[in-house]
Amino acid sequence: MRHLFTPDGEQALQAVMRLHPILAFDFDGTLAPIVARPDEAVVPEAVSRGLAQLARWLPVAVITGRSVADVRPRLGFDPHCVIGNHGAEDPLVGPPPAASQALDALRRRIVARAQALTDAGVEVEDKQLSLALHYREASDAGAALVCIESLLQGIEPALKRFGGKCVVNVVETAAPDKGAALAALVRRSSAGAAVFVGDDVNDEAVFLRAEPHWLTVRIGRDDPLSRAMFFLDSDAELVLVLQRMLALRAAEDS
């Protein structure tokens, strides 16, 4: 990966902007800084203002692990589309499907082990189409992970799990991931390309699926194996990217 603010990065940004792309972003750790308690996360005003301006000219989407209902009030602007639950919840396709029997079985297991999870500092977030097991607030992260591993041992093949930043997520194996969700958005919008910015394990599905003429950017350089094309050092640099996009769009109109 190379930093986006290099000659190669500038060339790639200019090239993709000429294709009138869809602009898609993860939420936590990308649009909004990571916070200790997920319910306190919001998009900084400078970022939401830049996205609102870009949305006048280009389709803007948010693709997040959160539910759509949870994330919308936190954005501070109106994107053209919000896709939730790691790609499984797409309001443009239809209402969310009914919860699966496999997830319901895991819910029953969680209820049975509720006290052990609480004692280990694990917070369970039920998003209907996925479950998130947070351990950011745990006093002993190792012990919390042991508790989560015990809970998930032998889960049904109909479910898949993947990690994240102080979280373990569980979704249906057959559910679309973020990569599939963005590919569908590109087709529906007739956009010439896509820009995607994300920071975590579930964003790698987009980085892996990206077409050569897309632009993918990872927040942080903590994963040397990431398939993103470029990186930013932190989410604080995102506002500079939005400003550069706006400048390129204005130059196109002049």
Side-chain angles (χ1 to χ4, degrees):
M1 284 190 299
R2 296 153 291 172
H3 199 288
L4 186 61
F5 295 143
T6 60
D8 285 348
E10 173 65 17
Q11 183 178 15
L13 184 59
Q14 290 183 17
V16 76
M17 290 297 286
R18 285 194 291 268
L19 297 175
H20 299 143
I22 185 169
L23 308 178
F25 304 87
D26 173 45
F27 180 73
D28 292 285
T30 301
L31 293 183
I34 295 289
V35 291
R37 300 199 58 79
D39 60 352
E40 296 175 354
V42 293
V43 177
E45 184 179 352
V47 172
S48 62
R49 184 169 59 248
L51 290 166
Q53 291 175 297
L54 283 165
R56 298 173 188 169
W57 296 299
L58 295 169
V60 175
V62 176
I63 307 178
T64 175
R66 292 178 182 248
S67 69
V68 171
D70 179 16
V71 81
R72 271 197 181 277
R74 305 178 187 279
L75 298 176
F77 75 103
D78 292 319
H80 296 82
C81 181
V82 178
I83 295 179
N85 276 282
H86 311 285
E89 183 186 4
D90 186 347
L92 296 181
V93 172
S100 72
Q101 292 183 352
L103 278 173
D104 284 342
L106 180 56
R107 290 184 177 97
R108 290 191 291 272
R109 189 183 295 193
I110 287 171
V111 170
R113 304 189 184 197
Q115 190 59 56
L117 290 165
T118 298
D119 292 345
V122 177
E123 181 179 344
V124 179
E125 183 183 6
D126 191 334
K127 297 176 282 189
Q128 183 181 348
L129 300 181
S130 69
L131 294 165
L133 305 166
H134 299 276
Y135 57 94
R136 185 175 299 277
E137 295 287 276
S139 58
D140 185 337
L145 279 170
V146 168
C147 186
I148 292 171
E149 290 296 330
S150 175
L151 171 73
L152 298 181
Q153 186 174 11
I155 61 171
E156 298 185 33
L159 298 178
K160 64 180 177 181
R161 51 170 292 178
F162 55 91
K165 295 179 178 176
C166 296
V167 64
V168 176
N169 301 286
V170 183
V171 300
E172 287 189 272
T173 302
D177 59 25
K178 287 188 174 187
L182 181 53
L185 275 181
V186 172
R187 291 193 298 269
R188 291 202 304 256
S189 67
S190 299
V195 175
F196 180 76
V197 186
D199 78 306
D200 212 342
V201 173
N202 60 349
D203 299 312
E204 290 295 326
V206 180
F207 303 153
L208 282 166
R209 190 168 181 143
E211 300 288 342
H213 60 289
W214 292 14
L215 176 64
T216 57
V217 182
R218 181 182 174 93
I219 303 289
R221 59 178 90 188
D222 54 312
D223 182 2
L225 300 179
S226 175
R227 298 297 295 272
M229 299 170 183
F230 295 92
F231 72 88
L232 297 172
D233 282 316
S234 74
D235 56 86
E237 291 184 322
L238 180 61
V239 68
L240 302 177
V241 178
L242 303 181
Q243 291 170 356
R244 184 61 187 141
M245 289 178 171
L246 286 166
L248 290 171
R249 187 66 183 83
E252 187 176 320
D253 287 342
S254 62

